[in-house]
Coordinates of all heavy atoms in Angstrom, one line a residue:
M1 N -110.5 -178.7 139.9 CA -109.9 -177.6 139.2 C -108.5 -177.6 139.4 O -108.0 -177.7 140.5 CB -110.6 -176.3 139.6 CG -109.9 -175.1 139.0 SD -110.7 -173.5 139.4 CE -110.9 -173.5 141.2
E2 N -107.7 -177.5 138.3 CA -106.2 -177.4 138.4 C -105.9 -176.0 138.9 O -106.4 -175.0 138.4 CB -105.7 -177.6 137.0 CG -104.2 -177.5 136.9 CD -103.5 -178.7 137.6 OE1 -104.1 -179.7 137.8 OE2 -102.3 -178.5 138.0
P3 N -105.0 -175.9 139.9 CA -104.6 -174.5 140.4 C -104.0 -173.7 139.2 O -103.2 -174.2 138.4 CB -103.5 -174.8 141.4 CG -103.9 -176.2 141.9 CD -104.4 -176.9 140.7
A4 N -104.4 -172.4 139.1 CA -103.9 -171.6 138.1 C -102.5 -171.2 138.3 O -101.7 -170.9 137.4 CB -104.8 -170.3 138.0
L5 N -102.1 -171.0 139.6 CA -100.7 -170.6 139.9 C -100.1 -171.7 140.8 O -100.7 -172.4 141.5 CB -100.8 -169.3 140.7 CG -101.4 -168.1 140.0 CD1 -101.5 -166.9 141.0 CD2 -100.5 -167.7 138.8
R6 N -98.8 -171.7 140.7 CA -97.9 -172.7 141.4 C -96.9 -171.8 142.2 O -96.6 -170.7 141.8 CB -97.2 -173.6 140.5 CG -98.2 -174.5 139.7 CD -97.4 -175.5 138.9 NE -98.3 -176.2 138.0 CZ -97.9 -176.7 136.9 NH1 -96.6 -176.7 136.5 NH2 -98.7 -177.4 136.1
E7 N -96.4 -172.4 143.3 CA -95.3 -171.8 144.0 C -94.2 -171.5 143.0 O -93.8 -172.3 142.2 CB -94.8 -172.7 145.1 CG -93.9 -172.0 146.1 CD -93.5 -172.9 147.2 OE1 -94.3 -173.8 147.6 OE2 -92.4 -172.7 147.8
G8 N -93.7 -170.3 143.1 CA -92.6 -169.8 142.3 C -93.0 -169.1 141.0 O -92.2 -168.5 140.3
D9 N -94.3 -169.1 140.7 CA -94.8 -168.3 139.6 C -94.7 -166.8 139.9 O -94.9 -166.4 141.0 CB -96.3 -168.6 139.3 CG -96.5 -170.0 138.6 OD1 -95.5 -170.6 138.3 OD2 -97.7 -170.3 138.4
W10 N -94.4 -166.0 138.9 CA -94.3 -164.6 139.0 C -95.4 -164.0 138.2 O -95.6 -164.4 137.0 CB -93.0 -164.1 138.5 CG -91.8 -164.4 139.4 CD1 -91.7 -165.5 140.3 CD2 -90.6 -163.7 139.5 NE1 -90.5 -165.5 140.9 CE2 -89.8 -164.4 140.5 CE3 -90.1 -162.6 139.0 CZ2 -88.5 -164.0 140.8 CZ3 -88.8 -162.1 139.3 CH2 -88.1 -162.8 140.2
V11 N -96.2 -163.1 138.7 CA -97.3 -162.5 138.0 C -97.3 -161.0 138.0 O -96.7 -160.4 138.8 CB -98.7 -163.0 138.6 CG1 -98.8 -164.5 138.6 CG2 -98.8 -162.5 140.0
I12 N -98.0 -160.5 137.0 CA -98.2 -159.1 136.9 C -99.6 -158.8 137.4 O -100.6 -159.5 137.0 CB -98.1 -158.5 135.5 CG1 -96.6 -158.7 135.0 CG2 -98.6 -157.1 135.3 CD1 -96.4 -158.3 133.5
V13 N -99.8 -157.8 138.3 CA -101.1 -157.5 138.9 C -101.4 -156.1 138.4 O -100.7 -155.1 138.6 CB -101.0 -157.5 140.4 CG1 -102.3 -157.1 141.1 CG2 -100.7 -159.0 140.9
A14 N -102.6 -156.0 137.8 CA -103.1 -154.7 137.3 C -104.1 -154.1 138.3 O -104.8 -154.8 139.0 CB -103.8 -154.9 136.0
P15 N -104.0 -152.8 138.5 CA -105.0 -152.1 139.4 C -106.4 -152.4 139.0 O -106.7 -152.6 137.8 CB -104.7 -150.6 139.3 CG -103.3 -150.6 138.6 CD -103.2 -151.8 137.8
L16 N -107.3 -152.4 139.9 CA -108.7 -152.7 139.7 C -109.3 -151.4 139.2 O -109.2 -150.3 139.8 CB -109.4 -153.1 140.9 CG -109.2 -154.6 141.3 CD1 -110.0 -154.9 142.6 CD2 -109.6 -155.6 140.2
W17 N -110.1 -151.4 138.1 CA -110.9 -150.3 137.7 C -112.4 -150.6 137.7 O -113.2 -149.8 137.4 CB -110.5 -149.8 136.3 CG -110.4 -151.0 135.3 CD1 -109.3 -151.8 135.0 CD2 -111.4 -151.4 134.5 NE1 -109.6 -152.7 134.1 CE2 -110.9 -152.5 133.7 CE3 -112.7 -151.1 134.2 CZ2 -111.7 -153.2 132.8 CZ3 -113.5 -151.8 133.3 CH2 -113.0 -152.8 132.6
R18 N -112.7 -151.8 138.2 CA -114.1 -152.3 138.4 C -114.0 -153.3 139.5 O -113.0 -153.8 139.8 CB -114.6 -152.8 137.1 CG -113.8 -154.0 136.6 CD -114.6 -154.9 135.6 NE -113.7 -155.8 135.0 CZ -113.2 -156.9 135.6 NH1 -113.6 -157.2 136.8 NH2 -112.5 -157.8 134.9
P19 N -115.2 -153.6 140.1 CA -115.2 -154.7 141.1 C -114.7 -156.0 140.5 O -115.0 -156.3 139.4 CB -116.7 -154.8 141.6 CG -117.2 -153.4 141.2 CD -116.5 -153.0 139.9
P20 N -114.0 -156.8 141.3 CA -113.6 -158.1 140.8 C -114.8 -159.0 140.5 O -115.9 -158.9 141.1 CB -112.7 -158.7 141.9 CG -113.2 -158.0 143.1 CD -113.7 -156.6 142.7
R21 N -114.6 -160.0 139.6 CA -115.6 -160.9 139.2 C -115.3 -162.3 139.7 O -114.1 -162.6 139.8 CB -115.8 -160.9 137.7 CG -116.2 -159.6 137.1 CD -116.4 -159.8 135.6 NE -116.7 -158.5 135.0 CZ -116.3 -158.0 133.9 NH1 -115.5 -158.7 133.2 NH2 -116.7 -156.8 133.5
P22 N -116.3 -163.1 140.0 CA -116.0 -164.5 140.4 C -115.2 -165.2 139.4 O -115.3 -165.0 138.2 CB -117.4 -165.1 140.5 CG -118.3 -163.9 140.9 CD -117.7 -162.8 140.1
G23 N -114.2 -165.9 139.9 CA -113.3 -166.6 139.0 C -111.9 -165.9 138.8 O -110.9 -166.5 138.5
E24 N -111.9 -164.6 139.0 CA -110.7 -163.9 138.8 C -109.7 -164.1 140.0 O -110.2 -164.3 141.1 CB -110.9 -162.4 138.6 CG -111.6 -162.0 137.4 CD -111.9 -160.6 137.2 OE1 -112.1 -159.8 138.2 OE2 -112.0 -160.2 136.0
I25 N -108.4 -164.0 139.8 CA -107.4 -164.1 140.8 C -107.0 -162.7 141.2 O -106.7 -161.8 140.3 CB -106.2 -164.9 140.3 CG1 -106.6 -166.3 140.0 CG2 -105.1 -164.9 141.4 CD1 -105.6 -167.1 139.3
V26 N -107.1 -162.3 142.5 CA -106.8 -161.0 142.9 C -105.7 -161.0 144.0 O -105.5 -162.0 144.7 CB -108.1 -160.3 143.5 CG1 -109.1 -160.1 142.4 CG2 -108.7 -161.0 144.7
L27 N -105.1 -159.8 144.1 CA -104.1 -159.6 145.2 C -104.9 -158.7 146.2 O -105.5 -157.7 145.9 CB -102.9 -158.8 144.6 CG -101.8 -158.5 145.7 CD1 -101.1 -159.7 146.1 CD2 -100.9 -157.5 145.1
A28 N -104.9 -159.2 147.5 CA -105.6 -158.5 148.5 C -104.8 -158.5 149.8 O -103.9 -159.3 150.0 CB -106.9 -159.1 148.8
R29 N -105.1 -157.5 150.7 CA -104.5 -157.5 152.0 C -105.2 -158.5 152.9 O -106.4 -158.6 152.8 CB -104.6 -156.1 152.6 CG -103.8 -155.1 151.9 CD -103.6 -153.8 152.7 NE -102.9 -152.8 151.9 CZ -101.6 -152.8 151.8 NH1 -100.8 -153.7 152.4 NH2 -101.0 -151.9 151.0
D30 N -104.4 -159.3 153.7 CA -105.0 -160.2 154.6 C -105.7 -159.4 155.7 O -105.1 -158.5 156.3 CB -103.9 -161.0 155.2 CG -104.4 -162.1 156.2 OD1 -105.4 -161.9 156.9 OD2 -103.7 -163.2 156.3
P31 N -107.0 -159.6 155.9 CA -107.8 -158.7 156.9 C -107.2 -158.8 158.3 O -107.4 -157.9 159.1 CB -109.2 -159.2 156.7 CG -109.2 -160.5 156.0 CD -107.9 -160.5 155.2
R32 N -106.6 -159.9 158.6 CA -106.0 -160.1 159.9 C -104.7 -159.4 160.1 O -104.4 -159.0 161.2 CB -105.8 -161.6 160.2 CG -107.1 -162.4 160.1 CD -106.8 -163.9 160.1 NE -105.9 -164.2 158.9 CZ -105.2 -165.3 158.7 NH1 -105.4 -166.3 159.6 NH2 -104.4 -165.4 157.7
V33 N -103.9 -159.4 159.1 CA -102.5 -158.8 159.1 C -102.4 -158.0 157.8 O -101.9 -158.5 156.8 CB -101.4 -159.9 159.2 CG1 -100.1 -159.2 159.4 CG2 -101.7 -160.8 160.3
P34 N -102.8 -156.7 157.8 CA -102.9 -155.9 156.6 C -101.5 -155.8 155.9 O -101.5 -155.5 154.7 CB -103.4 -154.6 157.1 CG -104.1 -154.9 158.3 CD -103.4 -156.0 159.0
E35 N -100.4 -156.0 156.5 CA -99.1 -156.0 155.9 C -98.9 -157.2 155.0 O -98.1 -157.1 154.1 CB -98.0 -155.9 156.9 CG -98.0 -154.7 157.8 CD -99.0 -155.0 159.0 OE1 -99.0 -156.1 159.5 OE2 -99.7 -154.0 159.4
R36 N -99.6 -158.3 155.2 CA -99.5 -159.5 154.4 C -100.4 -159.4 153.2 O -101.6 -159.1 153.3 CB -99.8 -160.7 155.3 CG -99.6 -162.0 154.6 CD -100.1 -163.2 155.4 NE -99.5 -163.2 156.8 CZ -100.0 -163.7 157.8 NH1 -101.1 -164.4 157.7 NH2 -99.4 -163.7 159.0
L37 N -99.9 -159.8 152.1 CA -100.7 -159.9 150.9 C -101.0 -161.3 150.5 O -100.2 -162.2 150.7 CB -99.9 -159.2 149.7 CG -99.5 -157.7 149.9 CD1 -98.7 -157.3 148.7 CD2 -100.7 -156.9 150.1
V38 N -102.2 -161.5 150.0 CA -102.6 -162.9 149.6 C -103.1 -162.8 148.1 O -103.6 -161.8 147.7 CB -103.8 -163.4 150.5 CG1 -103.3 -163.6 151.9 CG2 -105.0 -162.5 150.5
L39 N -102.8 -163.8 147.4 CA -103.3 -164.0 146.0 C -104.3 -165.1 146.0 O -103.9 -166.3 146.2 CB -102.0 -164.3 145.1 CG -102.1 -164.0 143.7 CD1 -102.4 -162.5 143.4 CD2 -100.7 -164.4 143.0
K40 N -105.5 -164.8 145.8 CA -106.6 -165.7 145.8 C -107.7 -165.6 144.7 O -107.7 -164.5 144.1 CB -107.4 -165.6 147.2 CG -106.5 -165.8 148.4 CD -106.0 -167.2 148.6 CE -105.1 -167.3 149.8 NZ -104.6 -168.6 149.9
R41 N -108.5 -166.6 144.5 CA -109.5 -166.5 143.5 C -110.8 -166.0 144.2 O -111.1 -166.4 145.3 CB -109.8 -167.9 143.0 CG -110.7 -168.0 141.8 CD -110.8 -169.4 141.2 NE -109.6 -169.9 140.8 CZ -109.0 -169.7 139.6 NH1 -109.6 -168.9 138.7 NH2 -107.9 -170.3 139.3
V42 N -111.5 -165.1 143.4 CA -112.8 -164.6 143.9 C -113.9 -165.6 143.7 O -114.1 -166.1 142.7 CB -113.2 -163.3 143.2 CG1 -114.5 -162.8 143.6 CG2 -112.1 -162.2 143.3
A43 N -114.6 -165.9 144.8 CA -115.7 -166.9 144.8 C -117.0 -166.2 144.6 O -117.9 -166.6 143.8 CB -115.7 -167.7 146.0
Q44 N -117.2 -165.1 145.3 CA -118.4 -164.3 145.1 C -118.1 -162.8 145.6 O -117.2 -162.6 146.4 CB -119.6 -164.9 145.9 CG -119.4 -164.9 147.4 CD -120.6 -165.7 148.0 OE1 -121.0 -166.7 147.5 NE2 -121.0 -165.2 149.1
V45 N -118.9 -161.9 145.1 CA -118.8 -160.5 145.4 C -120.2 -159.9 145.8 O -121.1 -160.3 145.1 CB -118.2 -159.7 144.2 CG1 -118.0 -158.2 144.6 CG2 -116.9 -160.3 143.7
G46 N -120.2 -159.1 146.8 CA -121.5 -158.5 147.1 C -121.4 -157.7 148.4 O -120.5 -157.9 149.3
D47 N -122.2 -156.7 148.5 CA -122.3 -155.9 149.8 C -121.0 -155.3 150.2 O -120.7 -155.3 151.4 CB -122.9 -156.7 150.9 CG -124.4 -157.1 150.6 OD1 -125.1 -156.3 149.9 OD2 -124.8 -158.2 151.1
G48 N -120.1 -154.8 149.3 CA -118.9 -154.2 149.6 C -117.8 -155.1 150.0 O -116.8 -154.7 150.6
S49 N -118.0 -156.4 149.8 CA -116.9 -157.4 150.2 C -116.9 -158.5 149.2 O -117.8 -158.6 148.3 CB -117.2 -157.9 151.6 OG -118.4 -158.7 151.6
C50 N -115.9 -159.4 149.3 CA -115.8 -160.5 148.4 C -115.3 -161.7 149.2 O -114.6 -161.5 150.2 CB -115.0 -160.2 147.2 SG -113.3 -159.8 147.5
T51 N -115.6 -162.9 148.8 CA -115.2 -164.1 149.3 C -114.0 -164.6 148.5 O -114.1 -164.8 147.3 CB -116.3 -165.2 149.4 OG1 -117.4 -164.7 150.2 CG2 -115.8 -166.5 150.0
L52 N -112.9 -164.8 149.1 CA -111.7 -165.3 148.4 C -111.3 -166.7 148.8 O -111.3 -167.0 150.0 CB -110.5 -164.4 148.8 CG -110.6 -162.9 148.5 CD1 -109.4 -162.1 148.9 CD2 -110.9 -162.7 147.0
L53 N -111.1 -167.6 147.8 CA -110.7 -168.9 148.1 C -109.5 -169.3 147.4 O -109.2 -168.9 146.2 CB -111.9 -169.9 147.6 CG -113.2 -169.7 148.3 CD1 -114.3 -170.6 147.7 CD2 -113.1 -169.9 149.8
G54 N -108.7 -170.2 148.0 CA -107.5 -170.7 147.4 C -107.9 -171.9 146.5 O -108.9 -172.6 146.7
D55 N -107.1 -172.1 145.4 CA -107.4 -173.2 144.5 C -107.1 -174.6 145.2 O -107.7 -175.6 144.7 CB -106.5 -173.1 143.2 CG -107.0 -172.0 142.3 OD1 -108.1 -171.5 142.5 OD2 -106.3 -171.8 141.3
R56 N -106.3 -174.6 146.2 CA -106.0 -175.9 146.9 C -106.6 -175.8 148.3 O -105.9 -175.3 149.2 CB -104.5 -176.2 146.9 CG -104.0 -176.6 145.6 CD -102.5 -176.9 145.6 NE -101.9 -175.6 145.2 CZ -100.7 -175.3 145.5 NH1 -99.9 -176.1 146.1 NH2 -100.2 -174.1 145.1
E57 N -107.8 -176.2 148.4 CA -108.6 -176.0 149.7 C -107.8 -176.6 150.9 O -107.8 -175.9 152.0 CB -109.9 -176.8 149.6 CG -110.8 -176.7 150.8 CD -112.1 -177.4 150.6 OE1 -112.5 -177.7 149.4 OE2 -112.7 -177.7 151.6
E58 N -107.2 -177.7 150.8 CA -106.5 -178.3 152.0 C -105.3 -177.6 152.4 O -104.9 -177.7 153.5 CB -106.2 -179.8 151.7 CG -105.2 -180.0 150.6 CD -105.7 -179.8 149.2 OE1 -106.9 -179.7 148.9 OE2 -104.8 -179.8 148.3
E59 N -104.7 -176.7 151.5 CA -103.5 -176.0 151.8 C -103.7 -174.5 152.0 O -102.7 -173.8 152.2 CB -102.4 -176.3 150.8 CG -102.1 -177.8 150.7 CD -101.1 -178.1 149.6 OE1 -100.4 -177.1 149.1 OE2 -101.0 -179.2 149.1
S60 N -104.9 -174.0 151.8 CA -105.1 -172.6 151.7 C -105.7 -171.9 152.9 O -106.6 -172.5 153.6 CB -106.1 -172.4 150.5 OG -106.1 -171.0 150.2
T61 N -105.2 -170.8 153.3 CA -105.8 -169.9 154.3 C -106.5 -168.8 153.5 O -105.9 -168.1 152.8 CB -104.7 -169.3 155.2 OG1 -104.0 -170.3 155.8 CG2 -105.4 -168.4 156.2
D62 N -107.8 -168.8 153.6 CA -108.6 -167.9 152.8 C -109.9 -167.5 153.5 O -109.9 -167.5 154.8 CB -109.0 -168.6 151.4 CG -109.5 -170.0 151.6 OD1 -110.2 -170.3 152.6 OD2 -109.3 -170.8 150.7
S63 N -110.9 -167.1 152.8 CA -112.1 -166.6 153.5 C -112.8 -167.7 154.4 O -113.6 -167.3 155.3 CB -113.1 -166.1 152.5 OG -112.7 -164.9 151.9
R64 N -112.5 -168.9 154.2 CA -113.0 -169.9 155.1 C -112.4 -169.7 156.5 O -113.0 -170.1 157.5 CB -112.7 -171.3 154.6 CG -113.5 -171.7 153.4 CD -113.1 -173.0 152.8 NE -111.8 -172.9 152.3 CZ -111.4 -173.3 151.1 NH1 -112.3 -174.0 150.3 NH2 -110.2 -173.1 150.6
T65 N -111.2 -169.1 156.6 CA -110.5 -168.8 157.8 C -110.8 -167.4 158.3 O -111.2 -167.2 159.5 CB -109.0 -169.0 157.6 OG1 -108.7 -170.3 157.2 CG2 -108.3 -168.8 158.9
F66 N -110.6 -166.4 157.4 CA -110.7 -165.0 157.9 C -112.0 -164.3 157.4 O -112.2 -163.1 157.7 CB -109.5 -164.2 157.5 CG -109.0 -164.3 156.0 CD1 -109.8 -163.8 155.0 CD2 -107.8 -165.0 155.8 CE1 -109.3 -163.9 153.7 CE2 -107.4 -165.1 154.4 CZ -108.1 -164.6 153.4
G67 N -112.9 -165.0 156.8 CA -114.2 -164.4 156.4 C -114.1 -163.5 155.1 O -113.0 -163.4 154.5
P68 N -115.2 -162.9 154.8 CA -115.2 -162.0 153.6 C -114.2 -160.9 153.7 O -113.9 -160.4 154.9 CB -116.6 -161.5 153.6 CG -117.4 -162.4 154.4 CD -116.5 -162.9 155.4
V69 N -113.7 -160.4 152.6 CA -112.7 -159.3 152.6 C -113.3 -158.1 152.0 O -114.0 -158.2 150.9 CB -111.5 -159.8 151.7 CG1 -110.5 -158.7 151.5 CG2 -110.8 -161.0 152.3
A70 N -113.2 -157.0 152.6 CA -113.7 -155.7 152.1 C -113.1 -155.4 150.8 O -111.9 -155.6 150.6 CB -113.4 -154.6 153.1
L71 N -113.9 -154.9 149.8 CA -113.4 -154.6 148.5 C -112.2 -153.5 148.6 O -111.4 -153.5 147.7 CB -114.5 -154.1 147.6 CG -115.5 -155.2 147.2 CD1 -116.6 -154.5 146.4 CD2 -114.8 -156.3 146.4
S72 N -112.2 -152.7 149.6 CA -111.2 -151.7 149.8 C -109.8 -152.4 150.0 O -108.7 -151.8 149.9 CB -111.5 -150.8 150.9 OG -111.6 -151.5 152.2
L73 N -109.8 -153.7 150.4 CA -108.5 -154.4 150.7 C -108.0 -155.1 149.4 O -106.9 -155.7 149.4 CB -108.7 -155.4 151.8 CG -109.0 -154.8 153.2 CD1 -109.2 -155.9 154.2 CD2 -107.9 -153.9 153.6
V74 N -108.8 -155.1 148.4 CA -108.5 -155.8 147.1 C -107.7 -154.8 146.3 O -108.2 -153.7 146.0 CB -109.7 -156.3 146.3 CG1 -109.2 -156.9 145.0 CG2 -110.5 -157.3 147.2
L75 N -106.4 -155.1 146.0 CA -105.5 -154.1 145.4 C -105.4 -154.2 143.9 O -105.2 -153.3 143.2 CB -104.1 -154.4 146.0 CG -104.0 -154.3 147.5 CD1 -102.6 -154.6 147.9 CD2 -104.4 -152.9 148.0
G76 N -105.6 -155.4 143.4 CA -105.5 -155.6 141.9 C -105.9 -157.0 141.5 O -106.2 -157.9 142.3
R77 N -105.8 -157.2 140.2 CA -106.2 -158.5 139.6 C -104.9 -159.0 138.8 O -104.3 -158.3 138.1 CB -107.3 -158.3 138.6 CG -107.8 -159.5 137.9 CD -109.0 -159.2 137.0 NE -108.8 -158.2 136.0 CZ -108.4 -158.4 134.8 NH1 -108.2 -159.6 134.4 NH2 -108.3 -157.4 133.9
A78 N -104.6 -160.3 139.1 CA -103.5 -161.0 138.4 C -103.9 -161.2 137.0 O -105.0 -161.7 136.7 CB -103.2 -162.3 139.1
V79 N -103.1 -160.7 136.0 CA -103.4 -160.7 134.6 C -102.5 -161.5 133.8 O -102.9 -162.0 132.7 CB -103.6 -159.3 134.0 CG1 -104.8 -158.6 134.7 CG2 -102.3 -158.5 134.2
F80 N -101.2 -161.7 134.2 CA -100.2 -162.3 133.4 C -99.2 -163.0 134.2 O -98.7 -162.4 135.1 CB -99.6 -161.3 132.4 CG -98.7 -161.9 131.4 CD1 -99.3 -162.4 130.2 CD2 -97.4 -162.0 131.5 CE1 -98.5 -162.9 129.2 CE2 -96.5 -162.5 130.5 CZ -97.1 -163.0 129.4
R81 N -98.9 -164.3 133.9 CA -97.8 -165.0 134.5 C -96.6 -164.8 133.6 O -96.6 -165.2 132.4 CB -98.1 -166.4 134.7 CG -97.0 -167.3 135.2 CD -97.2 -168.8 135.3 NE -98.3 -169.2 134.5 CZ -99.5 -169.7 134.9 NH1 -99.7 -169.8 136.2 NH2 -100.4 -170.1 134.0
Y82 N -95.4 -164.3 134.1 CA -94.3 -164.1 133.2 C -93.1 -165.0 133.6 O -92.1 -165.0 132.9 CB -93.9 -162.6 133.2 CG -93.4 -162.0 134.5 CD1 -92.0 -162.0 134.8 CD2 -94.3 -161.4 135.4 CE1 -91.6 -161.4 135.9 CE2 -93.8 -160.8 136.5 CZ -92.4 -160.8 136.8 OH -92.0 -160.3 138.0
A83 N -93.2 -165.7 134.6 CA -92.1 -166.7 135.0 C -92.8 -167.8 135.8 O -93.7 -167.6 136.6 CB -91.0 -166.0 135.8
P84 N -92.3 -169.0 135.6 CA -91.2 -169.4 134.7 C -91.7 -169.3 133.2 O -92.9 -169.5 132.9 CB -90.9 -170.9 135.1 CG -92.2 -171.3 135.8 CD -92.8 -170.1 136.4
L85 N -90.8 -169.1 132.3 CA -91.1 -168.9 130.9 C -91.9 -170.0 130.3 O -92.9 -169.6 129.5 CB -89.8 -168.7 130.1 CG -89.1 -167.3 130.3 CD1 -87.9 -167.2 129.5 CD2 -90.1 -166.2 129.9
P86 N -91.7 -171.2 130.5 CA -92.6 -172.2 129.9 C -94.1 -172.1 130.3 O -94.9 -172.6 129.6 CB -92.0 -173.6 130.3 CG -90.6 -173.3 130.7 CD -90.6 -171.9 131.3
R87 N -94.4 -171.5 131.4 CA -95.7 -171.3 131.9 C -96.3 -169.9 131.6 O -97.4 -169.6 132.1 CB -95.9 -171.7 133.3 CG -95.6 -173.1 133.6 CD -95.7 -173.5 135.1 NE -96.6 -172.8 135.9 CZ -97.9 -173.1 136.1 NH1 -98.5 -174.0 135.3 NH2 -98.6 -172.4 136.9
A88 N -95.5 -169.0 131.0 CA -95.9 -167.7 130.8 C -97.2 -167.6 130.0 O -97.5 -168.4 129.1 CB -94.8 -166.9 130.0
G89 N -98.0 -166.6 130.3 CA -99.3 -166.4 129.6 C -100.3 -165.7 130.4 O -100.1 -165.4 131.6
L90 N -101.4 -165.4 129.8 CA -102.6 -164.7 130.4 C -103.2 -165.6 131.5 O -103.2 -166.8 131.3 CB -103.6 -164.3 129.4 CG -103.2 -163.3 128.4 CD1 -104.3 -163.1 127.3 CD2 -102.9 -161.9 129.0
L91 N -103.7 -165.0 132.5 CA -104.4 -165.7 133.6 C -105.9 -165.6 133.4 O -106.4 -164.6 132.9 CB -104.0 -165.2 134.9 CG -102.5 -165.5 135.3 CD1 -102.1 -164.8 136.6 CD2 -102.3 -167.0 135.4

């Protein structure tokens, strides 16, 4: 799978009004350091938590490292990339 986002991409994150779905990219607090935010793809959701995975497994710190993330730590869903302009569009 080609990564949806690249370093330097700027995205708009919309608040969640429903639980995230597998495949969506979400902004969440890192459960180890709540001040740190992570942008990851949802792999699965259930029992009040979700598994978050990075698109580049070899370079990503995600649920394989810190485990499932409580849904209360998921802040929103990435919906639109607005920069760089040639890559702008819905996610």
